């Protein structure tokens, strides 16, 4: 989708959606670029099958990825939204976490879930998770799966190894999009050279449909 078409689409959609509420007094956030780099990032996601983004904390990597993903699922351009990240702790470990697989990974994905609440609404996110339209999945448990008609976001990718990022990229199916973002200055892996974010970007640079 070109930048002009997207702006026209958002204007028409937001007339009806900006103040639409899924719960009491819940005003939904509208995705808007706050800088030239964010505008480039949004365009890249719309116009590519796979998008890499690296940058410092606070630059909007996660917010933009979740915002565009929310637009896609609300507009029914995809059937499912998958959010994942490597389960790597920063500093002292939390120890054993009780509950199901989703319960165990949820603390790591709180920033993304909270961002989805802003764009989609808390009640709607809860309903979509119950229907498995929104899935939270540890990166380590994605091997062997293929995702069609799906928007996939890999957050904190600086803590994914080269093997894990390769595995994630090969999960893409028909009519799907992948967004991979991270901050190379915040690698928490025991061996920082294991991080696959920068190497993957360099290897895939220049390939059509990858930005």
């Amino acid at each position: 989708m070109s930048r002009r078409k997207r702006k026209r689409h958002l204007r028409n959609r937001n007339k009806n959606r900006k103040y639409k509420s899924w719960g009491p007094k819940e005003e939904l956030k509208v995705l808007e670029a706050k800088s030239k780099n964010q505008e480039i990032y949004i365009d890249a996601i719309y116009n590519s099958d796979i998008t890499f983004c690296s940058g410092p904390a606070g630059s909007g990597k996660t917010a933009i990825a979740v915002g565009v993903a929310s637009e896609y699922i609300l507009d029914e351009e995809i059937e499912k939204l998958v959010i994942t990240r490597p389960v790597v702790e920063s500093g002292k470990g939390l120890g054993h976490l009780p509950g199901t697989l989703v319960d165990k990974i949820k603390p790591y994905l709180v920033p993304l879930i909270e961002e989805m609440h802003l764009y989609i609404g808390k009640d709607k996110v809860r309903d979509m998770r119950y229907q498995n339209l929104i899935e939270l999945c540890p990166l380590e448990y994605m091997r062997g799966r293929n995702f069609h008609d799906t928007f996939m976001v890999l957050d904190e990718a600086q803590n994914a190894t080269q093997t894990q990022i390769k595995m994630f990229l090969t999960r893409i199916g028909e009519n799907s999009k992948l967004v991979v973002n991270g901050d190379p200055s915040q690698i928490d892996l025991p061996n920082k050279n294991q991080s696959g974010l920068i190497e993957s970007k360099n290897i895939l640079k220049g390939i059509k449909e990858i930005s």
Side-chain angles (χ1 to χ4, degrees), residues 20-205:
K20 186 174 182 179
S21 175
W22 297 104
K25 298 181 180 179
E26 189 173 22
E27 183 179 314
L28 300 184
K29 181 178 179 180
V30 176
L31 177 63
E32 293 180 353
K34 296 181 179 179
S35 68
K36 182 65 176 179
N37 284 338
Q38 287 190 2
E39 188 172 340
I40 293 172
Y41 184 24
I42 293 172
D43 288 345
I45 296 174
Y46 266 92
N47 296 314
S48 305
D49 292 335
I50 299 175
T51 305
F52 284 88
C53 179
S54 60
S59 56
K61 303 183 299 298
T62 299
I64 294 296
V66 173
V68 176
S70 298
E71 287 186 349
Y72 265 74
I73 198 163
L74 287 172
D75 291 338
E76 298 181 351
E77 295 185 37
I78 47 98
E79 296 178 358
K80 188 172 185 176
L81 172 56
V82 174
I83 304 293
T84 186
R85 60 158 285 175
V87 181
V88 176
E89 297 172 337
S90 177
K92 186 177 180 180
L94 296 175
H96 173 73
L97 295 176
T100 65
L101 181 64
V102 174
D103 293 331
K104 293 177 187 295
I105 193 178
K106 187 175 179 180
Y108 299 94
L109 294 175
V110 167
L112 291 93
I113 297 172
E114 290 179 341
E115 199 68 31
M116 277 192 286
H117 288 166
L118 298 177
Y119 287 104
I120 301 176
K122 290 183 180 180
D123 293 340
K124 188 66 173 178
V125 168
R126 184 189 64 242
D127 293 343
M128 296 176 86
R129 286 181 61 186
Y130 179 78
Q131 299 173 54
N132 204 33
L133 299 177
I134 295 177
E135 179 180 351
L136 309 180
C137 181
L139 180 61
E140 291 80 358
Y141 284 81
M142 297 186 72
R143 187 179 300 278
R145 302 180 64 185
N146 292 307
F147 295 89
H148 303 285
D149 296 297
T150 302
F151 197 118
M152 305 166 65
V153 178
L154 170 57
D155 198 40
E156 301 290 339
Q158 76 276 2
N159 289 325
T161 65
Q162 298 164 13
T163 301
Q164 286 176 323
I165 289 187
K166 180 179 179 180
M167 178 272 294
F168 177 73
L169 296 178
T170 55
R171 300 308 93 201
I172 189 171
E174 295 292 329
N175 189 39
S176 293
K177 280 187 179 290
L178 302 183
V179 176
V180 181
N181 62 52
D183 180 357
S185 69
Q186 294 187 349
I187 298 174
D188 297 312
L189 294 170
N191 181 355
K192 296 185 184 298
N193 292 327
Q194 290 180 328
S195 176
L197 177 60
I198 300 301
E199 182 175 2
S200 299
K201 285 180 59 181
N202 293 336
I203 291 175
L204 299 174
K205 186 177 180 179

